[in-house]
């Protein structure tokens, strides 16, 4: 893959927009598309070309990067792009699609003769905006050198897991199971403190500097206490990912009670009106709908 790489980014939500912006800053030729065009238009100020359709976005591109909500949205979008695709194009599939969702996407790549790279990312809004994501990748080793300028623009590090598509997705599900578990742990501890009339700061002070302390807890605790739940990773997306984790465990004969309960917490929080807030809003699932906003923090 030569200099002057052209990348089509399909999906410019929280993560996709940040990734596209960093690709522009790295000097790559970037074109973007999003179902809601208004979410893509600000990227024109960064140098991206805003396309009217997936087809227009991918025409002439070297790399297609998908960062959409789920496997179904990704499949629909790539099929819409099909007239602009050409054999040999590289498809960086960054959406968390789950195991059952990934195989139809890999089949779609075979149908259109695309080089498929299973490449989910670890990180939320802040690392995405800073170009500090961790990219988990599996796909042909022959593509690694050529893709380096793209992957280096969006991530601090790329871990090539295997040449087999699916290996990166499996690792992503394991990592996400831990992230979501810690999120719920922080949310429930804060909720219990409020319910018992304990000052949450006393809880944070009690564990400070010990093995149970962590920066992530403090970030989520502050989001809950301040009620600044600007999403770095939304409840609706977390609910979707939790379902994929439970589904993957079931397929492997592994019972994931905590993940299943966590998916239900996200569902309740979304039902209470917190779907597009940060996943720390799992906190509200600990209270009846009319009481969650009244909890002290």
């Amino acid at each position: 893959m030569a200099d002057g790489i052209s990348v089509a980014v399909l999906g410019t939500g929280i993560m996709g927009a940040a990734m596209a912006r960093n690709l522009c800053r790295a000097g790559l030729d970037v074109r973007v598309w999003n179902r809601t065009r208004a979410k893509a238009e600000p990227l024109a100020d960064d140098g991206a070309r805003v396309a009217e359709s997936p087809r227009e976005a991918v025409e002439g591109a070297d790399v297609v990067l998908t960062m959409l909500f789920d496997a179904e949205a990704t499949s629909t979008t790539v099929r819409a792009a099909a007239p602009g695709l050409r054999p040999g194009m590289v498809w960086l599939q960054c959406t968390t699609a789950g195991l059952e969702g990934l195989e139809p996407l890999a089949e779609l790549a075979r149908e259109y003769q695309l080089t498929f790279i299973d490449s989910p990312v670890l990180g939320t809004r802040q690392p995405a905006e800073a170009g500090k994501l961790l990219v988990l990748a599996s796909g042909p080793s022959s593509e690694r050198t050529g893709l380096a300028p793209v992957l280096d623009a969006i991530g601090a590090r790329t871990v090539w897991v295997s040449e087999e598509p699916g290996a990166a997705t499996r690792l992503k599900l394991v990592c996400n199971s831990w992230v979501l578990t810690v999120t719920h742990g922080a949310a429930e501890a804060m909720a219990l403190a409020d319910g018992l009339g304990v000052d949450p700061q006393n809880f944070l002070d009690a564990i400070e500097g010990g093995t149970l302390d962590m920066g992530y807890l403090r970030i989520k605790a502050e989001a809950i206490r301040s009620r600044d739940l600007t999403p770095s990773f939304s409840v609706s997306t977390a609910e979707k990912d939790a379902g994929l984790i439970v589904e993957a465990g079931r397929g492997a004969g592994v019972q994931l009670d905590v993940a299943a309960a966590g998916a239900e917490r996200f569902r309740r929080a979304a039902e209470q009106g917190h779907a597009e807030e940060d996943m720390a809003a799992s906190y509200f699932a600990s209270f009846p709908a009319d009481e969650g906003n009244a909890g002290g923090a």
Side-chain angles (χ1 to χ4, degrees):
M1 209 174 289
D3 292 339
I5 299 171
S6 178
V7 184
V9 178
L10 306 180
T12 58
I14 291 173
M15 302 292 286
M19 294 161 80
R21 192 168 290 112
N22 284 311
L23 290 167
C24 289
R25 290 171 179 165
L28 303 182
D29 172 33
V30 181
R31 59 282 296 279
V32 297
W33 172 85
N34 195 71
R35 184 181 61 178
T36 304
R37 183 184 169 95
K39 291 185 176 181
E41 286 176 341
L43 292 164
D45 293 335
D46 297 285
R49 288 180 282 163
V50 181
E52 292 289 342
S53 67
R55 173 181 180 171
E56 181 184 330
V58 304
E59 284 178 340
D62 300 302
V63 177
V64 177
L65 187 158
T66 50
M67 192 63 180
L68 295 144
F69 181 71
D70 58 12
E72 182 178 0
T74 303
S75 177
T76 298
T77 300
V78 172
R79 287 195 181 279
L85 298 172
R86 68 179 189 280
M89 292 176 75
V90 175
W91 177 9
L92 281 175
Q93 203 309 101
C94 299
T95 302
T96 303
L99 296 180
E100 290 189 10
L102 189 72
E103 179 51 38
L105 299 182
E107 178 57 37
L108 202 59
R110 289 189 286 270
E111 178 182 341
Y112 296 134
Q113 300 178 59
L114 306 176
T115 300
F116 188 69
I117 310 293
D118 172 24
S119 49
V121 299
L122 287 178
T124 55
R125 180 195 293 267
Q126 186 175 359
E129 290 177 346
K132 300 298 184 182
L133 294 168
L134 173 61
V135 183
L136 308 176
S138 54
S141 59
S142 59
E143 299 296 331
R144 296 182 186 184
T145 300
L147 282 171
V150 178
L151 298 174
D152 290 349
I154 64 175
R157 187 161 60 103
T158 299
V159 176
W160 285 94
V161 182
S162 167
E163 293 206 16
E164 172 209 353
T169 285
R170 290 194 292 272
L171 177 56
K172 172 65 186 292
L173 293 173
V174 173
C175 292
N176 267 16
S177 73
W178 174 241
V179 172
L180 300 186
T181 296
V182 176
T183 299
H184 290 306
E188 286 200 344
M190 296 296 288
L192 183 61
D194 287 339
L196 296 178
V198 172
D199 183 345
Q201 188 58 51
N202 288 343
F203 157 59
L204 296 170
D205 290 344
I207 64 170
E208 185 173 6
T211 56
L212 295 177
D213 196 4
M214 62 177 70
Y216 187 86
L217 164 63
R218 293 181 180 274
I219 290 169
K220 294 307 179 187
E222 178 55 30
I224 293 167
R225 296 177 74 183
S226 68
R227 297 297 194 264
D228 181 2
L229 292 161
T230 302
S232 60
F233 196 83
S234 72
V235 166
S236 61
T237 303
E239 180 187 1
K240 181 264 295 185
D241 284 4
L244 295 176
I245 290 164
V246 173
E247 180 182 87
R250 186 180 301 119
V254 178
Q255 185 169 327
L256 300 174
D257 298 321
V258 173
E264 172 60 17
R265 284 186 66 84
F266 284 133
R267 187 199 66 76
R268 289 202 308 275
E271 191 175 70
Q272 292 173 354
H274 303 285
E276 300 312 313
E277 294 178 352
D278 187 79
M279 60 181 172
S282 162
Y283 166 91
F284 296 107
S286 292
F287 303 98
D290 58 350
E291 294 180 13
N293 285 309

